[in-house]
Amino acid sequence: MKFKAIILIAAVSFSSFAFAQEVGPPSGKALVGDTYGAGVASSAESKAITVDKLGKQLKKENKKLENIAIKGKVTDVCEKKGCWLTIQTDDHSKFFVKMKDYAFFVPTALKGKNVVLEGNAERKVTSVNEQKHYAEDAKRPQAEIDAITEPKEEIRFLASGIKVVN
């Protein structure tokens, strides 16, 4: 019985230690051709739509759009884990991207790179607390964080795959 207790204590201690480690974003240079997540279909870049067109489709459909592709430039990446990013497209619209099922992360080197995303999009109201959380993750100045006082309606994208392109 004593042996089982020691094994149990050791297992619990080890698992607590393993999960307590703070892990940052993955390393990598985010070079053209690199993919993250489930990958991106070879036709995705040619069928990618603008955020303006996406916004119009979401208003028209008034629902979630699935299995779409968007091309844009990464303007920000979560510096804590690489678990979200923001994209700016050719029409200068920006939108927020999270990774589907929290299944993959991206390196901070992705910032400034052009990417094609595949996944699902929807209009969502983001709470003040959630906006502040993301601003803190992005290491925004406290004055900018404090200025967030109202919920914001925005396009949210849930990426299943991301590919770095020219």
Side-chain angles (χ1 to χ4, degrees), residues 116-145:
V116 172
L117 311 166
E118 280 191 318
N120 304 328
E122 67 182 330
R123 284 202 172 278
K124 181 182 180 214
V125 175
T126 306
S127 72
V128 170
N129 286 341
E130 190 173 359
Q131 289 179 68
K132 286 185 177 197
H133 170 79
Y134 293 129
E136 289 167 358
D137 280 357
K139 299 186 176 169
R140 298 283 186 248
Q142 190 61 46
E144 188 177 324
I145 295 168

Side-chain angles (χ1 to χ4, degrees), residues 1-17:
M1 184 68 171
K2 195 175 190 180
F3 180 72
K4 286 183 181 178
I6 291 171
I7 295 294
L8 178 63
I9 290 170
V12 169
S13 297
F14 176 76
S15 64
S16 297
F17 175 74

Side-chain angles (χ1 to χ4, degrees), residues 54-69:
L54 174 63
K56 288 176 183 173
Q57 285 182 358
L58 283 169
K59 281 183 180 178
K60 182 179 168 185
E61 302 289 328
N62 202 22
K63 63 177 181 176
K64 183 158 110 172
L65 294 174
E66 297 185 352
N67 300 316
I68 60 168

